[in-house]
């Protein structure tokens, strides 16, 4: 198990992050160095001022009001997924270090762990709901016809990340808290990788390793997939109002 | 002279607005044999420029283009 | 596919590719939110008309030859070479697209599918598969520009006839269509038919405008065909004319794409700034009415009136209110279609599709939403400031027996002007 952990949760993480950062950098570099369309592609209505257009771009990207109007069901599930993903991401920051202030506000470390358990459970469940909706949606009709293997691969990886994340949360969440993961993750950041005893005993290592395996693959594939919409959507929605 | 020309196809393009008269002539040109003649009657004055311009740029021939009252009568010959 | 041809096709992509297109190709989530935005997909249920699918074909070629990941793992992206199967489907889905950009309006990333299809058109043309009819229309227009002298006689005699009709409507013996008038403020670039000149001339003359008519038409089939160079040459005809006459303003007629081409595209195509402003004729008319330069009477138009936003004028041109204000100035009995303005359904007649017989079936089916909207409005008169839209809606009107009257907005205005011959003006356009 220790070897599995070293591959997936040390070297895999390094590789994943490196490929992700370089890949995204390359993608942005490619976009930035390709000349802009000489033709104005904006559509109406559009704000007259630059700041107006900027805020419209933010609104169009983060809330997608037009999409909500035409496909409300899809919009709700997409919102559920993306907001939950954002929440999960913020939650994961705890493995870098404890939040300032929040534990005191909640009344101590124990309360903080309880809060994290609830918040994480909710976010993890919602993400799962969103991803299952998307997977099912791609099994029939025009959605299936439009899908290419890339779409299923991404959803599969994502499903793996989430299922294993939820597994860690629901099975081991009661007695392994952020401080344990913190020890491991900070050792990675310090380039002195190690695993705390708690992760090596019992079966939690297999679960963590698998969560990380999916995560590594997800990170590696991310920059070469349609998920570059995380950045591109802002640019493209700005063009809409230009 | 145009009265004696043998007409292979009659097209009634009255009421059509430009560029549709020209579109119809173009769509029908392959329905007559090479050397064959289409007689087209249009009411949109724009056709007076459109049809000859189309013929010139596609290598066909407008044998005659006459204004008769409020109608424009074309004899178009398929060249190739 | 032969190497030489393949190189030609990929060369086209290379040349056309720019930042926006690259991003559109890279980021589409294939979520299909755009599917119900497209009147053609909704009207036919045919997968090839799903907007993202149309763009997907370009994505497949792009990934195959230009994207490292796509070259490394083509199967993952269904990346493939532009073989006959692909080009056949591409031809159908590209030339059918009306360029309404309703899909872009609803896409969470605002992906401009119609713009991606401009690459598709360039590829098809390079493969010798450009639409023949649109190509011929474009070539005829260019020929007219190159041989203007050849057509001058016919044009002038046509303008003379129209001048007479104008005088019959306004009752003013001085009124006429001005030709080649140096020092005019306004160059009105009409369509080839008299119907777009006569009412405009009545309005300009009544408003006391210092105007002159262009010898060329504003329609641009080079744009529909997808050849930027042809499109540029066609528009250049009247831009050069405007420069020669020294006008201050170019006014384009009730034709959607003509406005978009003049206002949004020509500068980019010609790489030079335009020395005059481009105005849509309805902006002018709205201004004449509001400033009292022409008078319109409410009550001369009978029945409930509704208004269709042509995509190129509304969503893509930004002129939502002026045409409505005009219609509301000539009748108290106005009702809007639902949805309207930026969300207006495309009628199905744009992009040159009315000139392409082979798309007649999808064109008529794609009008289903428009028919629904028109029926629901309960109106008996439709004001519609775009030639292509009118051709399509008139056909829908017949096929579905809607019994509506389809009017140009300027005809409606002339009919509402207290002029001795305005009845004639109205009848003549029917
Ligand atoms: C803030 C801008 C973002 C917008 C507007 C946006 C929008 C969308 C939309 C509309 C979809 C389509 C759903 C579908 O595939 O059916 C989608 C899918 C997805 N997005 Fe985002 N997204 C954003 C940011 C992100 C971020 C930051 C992530 C990071 C994890 C992300 C991950 C995904 C994933 C994994 C999918 C599923 C793709 C699939 O269906 O295969 N998105 N997004
Ligand atoms: S709505 Fe936009 S992102 Fe979604 S499939 Fe259509 S073009 Fe792609
Ligand atoms: S631009 Fe209009 S016709 Fe073309 S794909 Fe989009 S919605 Fe359909």
């Amino acid at each position: 198990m220790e070897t599995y952990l070293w591959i997936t949760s040390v070297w895999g993480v390094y590789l994943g992050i490196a490929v992700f950062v370089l890949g995204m950098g390359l993608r942005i570099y490619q976009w930035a160095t390709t000349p802009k369309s000489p033709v104005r592609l904006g559509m109406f209505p559009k704000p007259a001022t630059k700041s107006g257009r900027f805020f419209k771009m933010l609104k169009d990207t983060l809330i997608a009001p037009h999409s909500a109007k035409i496909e409300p069901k899809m919009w709700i599930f997409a919102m559920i997924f993306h907001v939950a993903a954002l929440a999960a991401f913020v939650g994961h920051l705890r493995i870098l270090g404890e939040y300032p202030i929040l534990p005191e506000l909640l009344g101590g470390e124990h309360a903080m762990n309880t809060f994290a358990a609830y918040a994480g459970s909710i976010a993890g469940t919602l993400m799962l709901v969103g991803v299952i909706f998307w997977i099912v949606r791609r099994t029939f009709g025009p959605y299936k016809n439009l899908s290419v293997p890339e779409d299923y691969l991404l959803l599969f990886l994502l499903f793996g990340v989430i299922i294993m994340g939820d597994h860690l949360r629901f099975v081991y969440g009661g007695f392994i808290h952020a401080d344990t993961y913190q020890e491991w993750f900070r050792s990675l950041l310090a380039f002195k990788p190690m695993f705390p005893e708690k992760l090596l005993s019992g079966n939690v290592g297999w679960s963590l390793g698998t969560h990380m395996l999916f995560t590594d693959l997800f990170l590696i594939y991310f920059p070469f997939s349609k998920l570059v919409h995380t950045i591109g959507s802002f640019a493209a929605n700005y063009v809409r109002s230009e | 002279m145009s009265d004696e020309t043998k007409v292979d196809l009659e097209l009634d393009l009255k009421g059509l607005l430009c560029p549709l008269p020209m579109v119809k002539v173009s769509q029908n040109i392959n329905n007559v044999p090479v050397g064959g003649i289409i007689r087209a009657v249009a009411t949109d004055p724009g056709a007076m420029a459109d049809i000859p311009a189309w013929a010139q740029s596609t290598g066909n021939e407008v044998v005659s283009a006459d204004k008769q009252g409020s109608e424009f009568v074309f004899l178009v010959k398929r060249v190739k | 596919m032969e190497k030489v041809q393949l190189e030609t096709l990929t060369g086209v992509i290379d040349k056309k590719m720019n930042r926006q297109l690259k991003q559109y190709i890279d980021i589409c989530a294939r979520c299909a939110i755009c599917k119900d935005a497209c009147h053609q997909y909704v009207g036919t249920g045919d997968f090839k008309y799903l907007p993202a699918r149309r763009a997907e074909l370009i994505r497949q070629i792009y990934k195959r030859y230009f994207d490292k990941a796509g070259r490394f793992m083509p199967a993952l992206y269904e990346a493939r070479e532009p073989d006959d199967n692909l080009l056949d489907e591409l031809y159908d889905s590209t030339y059918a697209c009306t360029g309404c950009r309703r899909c872009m309006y609803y896409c969470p990333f605002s992906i401009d599918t119609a713009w991606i299809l401009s690459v598709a058109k360039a590829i098809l043309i390079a493969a010798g598969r450009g639409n023949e009819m649109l190509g011929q229309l474009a070539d005829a227009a260019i020929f007219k520009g190159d041989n203007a002298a050849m057509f001058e006689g016919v044009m002038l005699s046509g303008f003379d006839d129209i001048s007479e009709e104008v005088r019959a409507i306004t009752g003013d013996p001085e009124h006429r269509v001005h030709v080649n008038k140096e020092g005019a403020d306004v160059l009105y670039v009409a369509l080839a038919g008299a119907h777009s000149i006569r009412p405009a001339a009545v309005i300009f003359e009544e408003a006391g405008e210092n105007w002159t008519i262009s010898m060329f038409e504003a329609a641009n089939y080079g744009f529909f065909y997808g050849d930027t160079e042809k499109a540029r040459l066609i528009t250049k005809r009247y831009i050069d004319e405007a420069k020669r006459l020294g006008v201050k303003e170019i006014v384009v007629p009730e034709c959607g794409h003509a406005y978009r081409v003049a206002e949004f595209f020509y500068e980019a195509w010609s790489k030079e700034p335009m020395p005059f402003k481009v105005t849509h004729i309805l902006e002018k008319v709205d201004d004449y009415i509001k400033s009292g330069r022409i008078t319109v009477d409410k009550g001369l138009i009978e029945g409930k009136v509704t208004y269709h936003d042509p995509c190129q004028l509304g969503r893509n041109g930004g002129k939502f209110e002026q045409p409505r204000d005009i219609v509301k100035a000539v009748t108290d009995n106005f009702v809007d279609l639902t949805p309207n303005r930026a969300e207006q359904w495309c009628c199905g007649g744009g992009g040159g599709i009315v000139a392409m017989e082979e798309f007649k079936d999808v064109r008529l089916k794609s009008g289903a939403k428009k028919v629904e909207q028109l029926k629901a409005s309960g109106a008996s008169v439709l004001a519609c400031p775009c030639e292509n839209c009118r051709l399509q809606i008139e056909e829908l009107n017949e096929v579905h027996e809607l019994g509506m009257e389809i009017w140009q907005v300027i005809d409606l205005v002339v009919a509402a002007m207290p002029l001795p011959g305005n009845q004639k003006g109205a009848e003549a356009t029917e």
Side-chain angles (χ1 to χ4, degrees):
Chain A
M1 184 179 80
E2 216 177 318
T3 323
Y4 185 54
L5 270 180
W6 273 89
I7 294 171
T8 59
S9 312
V10 176
W11 304 119
V13 174
Y14 284 142
L15 182 69
I17 292 177
V19 172
F20 177 82
V21 171
L22 290 176
M24 290 306 274
L26 185 68
R27 183 71 61 162
I28 293 167
Y29 174 80
Q30 279 175 349
W31 286 341
T33 51
T34 312
K36 276 186 79 166
S37 159
V39 169
R40 279 182 287 161
L41 296 178
M43 63 168 27
F44 295 86
K46 65 183 168 197
T49 62
K50 235 183 156 129
S51 64
R53 290 199 287 272
F54 181 77
F55 284 110
K56 179 165 178 3
M57 175 275 283
L58 284 185
K59 185 173 144 209
D60 287 346
T61 311
L62 300 176
I63 306 177
H66 313 291
S67 311
K69 219 164 167 176
I70 198 165
E71 242 208 86
K73 202 160 80 190
M74 170 67 186
W75 183 86
I76 287 169
F77 281 98
M79 268 299 161
I80 287 178
F81 172 83
H82 284 91
V83 171
L86 185 68
F89 179 76
V90 173
H92 279 73
L93 292 180
R94 223 177 145 217
I95 61 170
L96 291 175
E98 184 58 276
Y99 288 115
I101 313 171
L102 197 60
E104 281 96 87
L105 282 182
L106 291 168
E109 198 192 315
H110 181 71
M112 180 65 209
N113 281 339
T114 313
F115 169 75
Y118 279 113
S121 303
I122 293 171
T125 310
L126 290 180
M127 276 175 86
L128 194 61
V129 168
V131 166
I132 289 175
F133 173 81
W134 279 339
I135 292 175
V136 171
R137 194 166 170 271
R138 285 193 190 277
T139 60
F140 65 93
Y143 312 105
K144 180 177 174 192
N145 288 338
L146 193 62
S147 303
V148 305
E150 172 191 5
D151 301 322
Y152 299 109
L153 174 65
L154 280 175
L155 287 171
F156 168 74
L157 292 177
L158 205 56
F159 184 77
V161 173
I162 297 168
I163 265 290
M164 291 317 296
D166 285 350
H167 181 79
L168 286 170
R169 169 90 271 148
F170 290 117
V171 176
Y172 301 100
F175 50 93
I176 304 183
H177 300 293
D179 53 348
T180 313
Y181 297 120
Q182 224 180 72
E183 257 182 86
W184 152 68
F185 201 75
R186 286 180 136 179
S187 78
L188 288 185
L189 293 183
F191 295 103
K192 288 183 201 124
M194 56 75 73
F195 291 99
E197 214 27 58
K198 228 172 164 178
L199 290 178
L200 293 174
S201 58
N203 280 333
V204 62
W206 291 110
S207 304
L208 176 67
T210 311
H211 182 58
M212 291 319 293
L213 176 65
F214 279 114
T215 307
D216 301 340
L217 294 175
F218 186 70
L219 283 176
I220 290 169
Y221 187 47
F222 198 109
F224 310 101
S225 74
K226 65 184 189 184
L227 294 184
V228 293
H229 75 242
T230 42
I231 293 170
S233 56
F234 292 92
N237 275 325
Y238 191 71
V239 171
R240 177 201 187 101
S241 301
E242 253 178 342
Chain B
M1 172 212 134
S2 57
D3 288 337
E4 292 136 37
T5 317
K6 176 177 160 290
V7 171
D8 296 270
L9 185 66
E10 288 272 353
L11 288 181
D12 177 3
L13 311 174
K14 291 190 274 268
L16 291 184
L17 301 179
C18 278
L20 286 187
M22 176 198 133
V23 169
K24 295 287 172 200
V25 171
S26 171
Q27 277 163 359
N28 283 289
I29 196 76
N30 288 336
N31 295 340
V32 300
V34 173
I37 299 271
I38 292 182
R39 182 174 182 275
V41 182
T43 46
D44 191 327
M48 283 299 269
D50 270 8
I51 292 180
W54 165 82
Q56 293 270 0
S57 60
T58 54
N60 289 296
E61 189 187 334
V62 173
V63 181
S64 70
D66 294 319
K67 185 172 178 208
Q68 299 179 358
S70 62
E71 292 178 354
F72 304 91
V73 182
F74 301 89
L75 291 179
V76 183
K77 182 169 170 186
R78 178 172 172 196
V79 174
K80 48 179 191 184
Chain C
M1 167 151 296
E2 281 175 40
K3 194 157 175 283
V4 182
Q5 194 185 4
L6 187 62
E7 272 171 12
T8 316
L9 301 195
T10 51
V12 168
I13 300 183
D14 201 29
K15 200 163 141 247
K16 280 259 162 188
M17 204 39 66
N18 56 46
R19 187 185 306 167
Q20 278 78 21
L21 285 166
K22 240 170 142 63
Q23 285 174 339
Y24 293 156
I25 284 179
D26 287 339
I27 68 179
C28 171
R30 283 177 291 272
C31 64
I33 285 178
C34 49
K35 88 180 183 339
D36 293 328
C38 178
H39 55 290
Q40 287 179 345
Y41 180 74
V42 171
T44 62
D46 189 338
F47 179 58
K48 73 176 171 220
Y49 296 131
L50 199 157
R53 170 64 185 177
R54 308 188 205 224
E56 187 68 17
L57 296 177
I58 297 300
R59 185 172 296 108
Q60 290 174 344
I61 309 175
Y62 179 84
K63 291 266 182 198
R64 177 76 182 71
Y65 298 101
F66 294 92
D67 184 83
K68 287 197 184 59
R71 270 183 301 197
F72 182 55
M73 299 171 292
L76 194 54
Y77 304 94
E78 292 184 359
R80 57 178 173 144
E81 67 170 46
D83 57 13
D84 282 348
N85 282 340
L86 187 147
L87 292 177
D88 284 346
E89 185 186 336
L90 192 65
Y91 177 88
D92 282 351
S93 58
T94 296
Y95 278 111
C97 170
T98 58
C100 68
R101 302 209 297 172
R102 213 171 174 265
C103 49
M104 175 178 180
Y105 182 84
Y106 289 103
C107 169
F109 310 144
S110 305
I111 290 178
D112 188 346
T113 303
W115 195 246
I116 298 177
L117 295 185
S118 71
V119 180
K121 287 184 179 178
I123 292 176
L124 289 165
I125 291 171
R129 290 168 176 253
N131 180 275
E132 213 186 329
M133 181 52 72
L134 297 182
Q136 286 183 7
L137 281 156
D139 289 341
I142 293 170
F143 184 86
K144 274 201 261 181
D146 290 343
N147 302 276
M150 194 167 144
F151 298 101
E152 193 163 353
V154 223
M155 300 294 288
L156 294 178
S157 100
F159 293 146
D160 277 347
D161 292 349
I162 298 171
S163 292
E164 225 156 90
E165 292 171 11
V166 169
R167 284 190 285 272
I169 297 168
T170 64
D172 186 330
E174 299 288 304
H175 283 177
R176 53 187 288 240
V177 176
H178 300 273
V179 187
N180 271 326
K181 181 171 170 191
E182 278 182 40
D185 292 331
V186 164
L187 176 71
Y188 178 55
V189 190
L191 298 172
H195 63 290
S196 86
I197 303 172
R198 187 192 316 108
V202 169
I203 293 169
F204 284 140
E205 291 292 273
E206 284 292 314
E209 185 63 80
N210 178 15
W211 72 292
T212 187
I213 189 98
S214 169
M215 301 295 274
F216 305 104
E217 71 276 356
N220 192 324
Y221 281 88
F223 168 59
F224 291 152
Y225 180 57
D227 184 325
T228 314
E229 182 54 19
K230 287 193 166 132
R232 183 183 73 84
L233 288 173
I234 292 169
T235 301
K236 185 172 184 291
R237 299 177 309 170
Y238 65 75
I239 301 288
D240 287 349
E241 187 184 28
K243 283 182 188 158
R244 179 167 57 76
L245 296 173
V247 301
K248 300 195 185 98
E249 187 175 0
I250 287 181
V251 174
V252 290
E254 296 196 18
C255 166
H257 77 281
Y259 176 66
R260 188 143 173 247
V261 161
E263 171 73 11
F264 296 98
F265 292 165
Y266 185 73
E267 280 191 343
W269 289 341
S270 67
K271 301 187 181 68
E272 58 176 2
M274 245 198 244
F276 19 69
K277 76 177 189 197
V278 172
T279 315
H280 191 268
I281 183 156
L282 296 186
E283 291 178 77
K284 284 301 242 194
V285 174
D286 182 44
D287 185 50
Y288 294 153
I289 293 176
K290 284 180 182 156
S291 61
R293 280 173 77 176
I294 60 171
T295 320
V296 286
D297 278 351
K298 286 187 180 178
L300 289 176
I301 311 291
E302 279 169 30
K304 199 191 258 188
V305 185
T306 187
Y307 174 75
H308 163 73
D309 299 88
C311 302
Q312 307 303 357
L313 190 61
R315 184 163 45 246
N316 300 329
K319 302 286 170 280
F320 298 115
E321 302 312 325
Q322 296 92 329
R324 280 186 172 71
D325 287 353
I326 295 172
V327 176
K328 286 180 196 159
V330 302
T331 178
D332 277 328
N333 199 358
F334 174 77
V335 58
D336 231 319
L337 296 175
T338 323
N340 54 53
R341 294 182 172 81
E343 292 174 1
Q344 184 70 262
W345 277 101
C346 173
C347 66
I353 196 172
V354 283
M356 295 181 279
E357 194 63 19
E358 64 219 274
F359 293 115
K360 186 172 176 186
D361 186 51
V362 45
R363 172 165 64 79
L364 289 178
K365 282 186 183 152
S366 76
K369 279 287 167 188
K370 188 52 59 188
V371 170
E372 232 174 70
Q373 276 184 295
L374 290 172
K375 279 188 183 156
S377 75
S380 60
V381 176
L382 173 73
C384 173
C386 172
E387 185 90 354
N388 283 322
C389 299
R390 277 195 308 279
L391 289 169
Q392 161 79 347
I393 297 176
E394 271 162 15
E395 202 167 334
L396 293 174
N397 191 28
E398 252 169 61
V399 174
H400 295 268
E401 296 176 359
L402 301 177
M404 291 186 78
E405 290 173 39
I406 320 292
W407 288 63
Q408 288 189 99
V409 178
I410 47 176
D411 275 331
L412 217 50
V413 171
V414 169
M417 287 166 80
L419 298 171
N422 69 1
Q423 273 327 97
K424 191 159 178 289
E427 275 162 19
T429 53
E430 274 172 18

